[in-house]
Amino acid sequence: MQFVINRDYFVQSVQHVSKAISSRTTIPILTGIKIVADHEGVTLTGSDSDISIECFIPKEENDQQLVDIVQEGSIVLQAKFFTEIVKKLPSDKIEVVVQDQFATTLRSGSSVFNLNGLDPEEYPRLPQIEEDNLFQVQNDLMKNIIRQTVFAVSTAETRPILTGVNWQVENKQLICTATDSHRLAMRKAAIETNIDELNFTNVVIPGKSLNELNKIIDDNNELLDIVVTENQVLFKSKNLLFFSRLLDGNYPATKNMIPDHSKTDIILETKGFLQAIERALLLSRDGKNNVVNFKTLEDGIVEITSVTPEIGRVTEKIDTKDLSGEELRISFNGKNIIDALKIVDSTEVKISFTGAMSPFLVRPVESDNALHLFSPVRTY
């Protein structure tokens, strides 16, 4: 195998596929990046058997030659070294030559690296996916959906299903839900599809996969193809394939948890409320005690207090934009509320309470496509 390639494109693709590679894999060949050169261009693949990423660099794009292929072939190179080498090579072109016994030479400018490659035939094949359940979402919307749900997934491995985000599609609408059993984030978005009867539930994508996808896709309004199968999801954009396995098991039914009535409704300015809770938690030691007490007062004012016995207490009164319904005292985990307020795309939020011991809702005032549900904290 022998080819000469544009360095910037090569570096970007190598960095993309290396996001899928884990140093803790049990299959030695997966510590490498697979490189295949054929008459169309160069394809790079990285995988840790949970996530697989494939990047393609065409021979030419926009009348600019990116790759010159002298001899077709394939090789697997150790990702750990290869990624660092490619980033630091001096010239804007890189030549890759593979000789007998997988011995590989990288040349760029006056710099030459000789690397020992691995047998590409041992590298697992990427799954072949039937594109029956295909729909499309704009890249920037996808990034937004991920940002507004992934933060709420569980980090505890005790219930693995909760470490993922549950996707379901009905009536050409995608509903994404994440919960760690103390808080829940839900985001809805319209999708584009040619399949009229596209419906699925209980597609649970690992939060880690979505975080990696978020880093790779561009922030633009081009369409991202999404294909869902029994145990895999595939995201396709220009010259990029991103596979992730789905989590096994049944995602808890969250629809019934969301209250449809409320006893107290409050509208607050998002930024002011966020900063007030951040101040309330300044006295909590190392994030151990994140409990914030919240109560309604006369004249549309609410009071936030937080007490840390050995250190002291903090109290702050906040003006609301609107306050209606019964009086209320409730305690909640302030850190969870901060996480949600940081990603709300709205200058004001509406908070709906159904009592001091019931879960409460936080919603953006300016849109009805997102909601957050929180369990209160019992403080006796």
Side-chain angles (χ1 to χ4, degrees):
M1 176 171 92
Q2 184 178 356
F3 62 85
V4 180
I5 193 162
N6 174 305
R7 178 173 158 260
D8 294 343
Y9 278 81
F10 201 40
V11 169
Q12 187 184 20
S13 297
V14 167
Q15 286 176 329
H16 282 346
V17 298
S18 63
K19 288 190 168 52
I21 296 169
S22 158
S23 53
R24 295 197 300 274
T25 177
T26 49
I27 309 167
I29 192 114
L30 290 185
T31 58
I33 290 178
K34 183 180 180 185
I35 304 168
V36 179
D38 60 21
H39 62 281
E40 292 178 354
V42 172
T43 306
L44 304 175
T45 310
S47 175
D48 66 356
S49 70
D50 283 349
I51 300 175
S52 304
I53 301 173
E54 184 179 291
C55 272
F56 176 68
I57 304 164
K59 282 177 87 165
E60 49 184 63
E61 191 175 80
N62 305 335
D63 299 336
Q64 177 192 8
Q65 185 174 18
L66 304 180
V67 189
D68 177 22
I69 289 167
V70 182
Q71 187 186 359
E72 297 182 10
S74 58
I75 189 71
V76 175
L77 296 175
Q78 286 292 331
K80 189 170 119 188
F81 302 106
F82 181 61
T83 314
E84 290 304 311
I85 292 168
V86 172
K87 274 198 292 200
K88 294 202 162 43
L89 285 174
S91 160
D92 59 353
K93 292 255 188 300
I94 298 173
E95 184 184 13
V96 181
V97 184
V98 179
Q99 279 114 2
D100 301 341
Q101 304 295 311
F102 314 118
T104 305
T105 308
L106 302 179
R107 285 194 193 92
S108 179
S110 56
S111 164
V112 180
F113 281 86
N114 292 314
L115 299 175
N116 299 325
L118 301 166
D119 183 356
E121 290 304 314
E122 288 182 18
Y123 200 87
R125 304 241 176 260
L126 288 184
Q128 292 298 314
I129 281 189
E130 296 290 320
E131 301 197 354
D132 296 339
N133 289 344
L134 184 140
F135 62 95
Q136 295 172 313
V137 174
Q138 284 187 359
N139 279 337
D140 46 7
L141 176 60
M142 190 73 246
K143 288 174 87 75
N144 201 328
I145 291 171
I146 294 173
R147 189 174 62 92
Q148 295 188 344
T149 50
V150 158
F151 74 94
V153 301
S154 170
T155 50
E157 290 297 332
T158 44
R159 288 184 69 189
I161 195 84
L162 295 186
T163 61
V165 180
N166 183 34
W167 281 23
Q168 62 187 80
V169 164
E170 52 187 51
N171 304 330
K172 297 201 176 180
Q173 189 180 47
L174 172 68
I175 303 166
C176 305
T177 314
T179 179
D180 62 1
S181 75
H182 301 291
R183 59 173 170 192
L184 177 146
M186 189 167 103
R187 177 76 161 79
K188 297 179 181 174
I191 59 170
E192 299 189 23
T193 178
N194 298 330
I195 308 162
D196 293 335
E197 295 302 310
L198 181 66
N199 281 328
F200 59 77
T201 54
N202 206 57
V203 168
V204 188
I205 305 174
K208 174 175 169 275
S209 301
L210 290 171
N211 276 329
E212 296 301 343
L213 175 69
N214 194 23
K215 292 175 195 165
I216 292 178
I217 52 178
D218 298 324
D219 199 353
N220 59 26
N221 58 5
E222 286 179 15
L223 287 174
L224 180 70
D225 286 1
I226 302 167
V227 184
V228 174
T229 66
E230 281 292 299
N231 52 11
Q232 290 270 343
V233 59
L234 163 62
F235 298 90
K236 291 198 317 188
S237 73
K238 189 180 169 195
N239 299 339
L240 177 85
L241 298 179
F242 184 106
F243 295 85
S244 167
R245 77 177 177 94
L246 301 176
L247 294 175
D248 297 329
N250 288 325
Y251 202 80
T254 50
K255 231 172 196 169
N256 327 337
M257 294 158 52
I258 297 162
D260 53 4
H261 65 286
S262 63
K263 294 180 179 170
T264 314
D265 288 308
I266 299 172
I267 293 178
L268 288 162
E269 193 201 358
T270 309
K271 197 173 172 188
F273 186 40
L274 169 64
Q275 290 170 343
I277 296 181
E278 285 178 334
R279 284 190 288 273
L281 293 185
L282 287 175
L283 299 185
S284 73
R285 263 203 332 272
D286 310 325
K288 294 244 182 357
N289 166 33
N290 290 324
V291 177
V292 172
N293 305 311
F294 181 98
K295 74 173 180 183
T296 56
L297 304 173
E298 309 276 302
D299 302 328
I301 289 174
V302 292
E303 183 181 72
I304 291 177
T305 48
S306 175
V307 182
T308 310
E310 302 82 64
I311 299 171
R313 66 179 288 150
V314 51
T315 308
E316 181 165 348
K317 291 187 172 68
I318 312 175
D319 287 329
T320 64
K321 299 275 180 179
D322 186 62
L323 194 161
S324 59
E326 301 176 7
E327 280 188 11
L328 176 89
R329 295 178 72 128
I330 196 167
S331 304
F332 49 73
N333 179 326
K335 186 183 170 303
N336 286 354
I337 304 282
I338 287 173
D339 289 346
L341 292 176
K342 277 182 176 167
I343 57 92
V344 166
D345 290 336
S346 172
T347 51
E348 294 177 358
V349 287
K350 178 180 182 180
I351 312 178
S352 308
F353 299 95
T354 46
M357 281 300 143
S358 308
F360 59 94
L361 281 173
V362 175
R363 278 180 288 218
V365 168
E366 288 152 28
S367 71
D368 57 355
N369 59 19
L371 64 81
H372 301 272
L373 184 72
F374 300 92
S375 301
V377 176
R378 292 168 188 268
T379 51
Y380 296 122

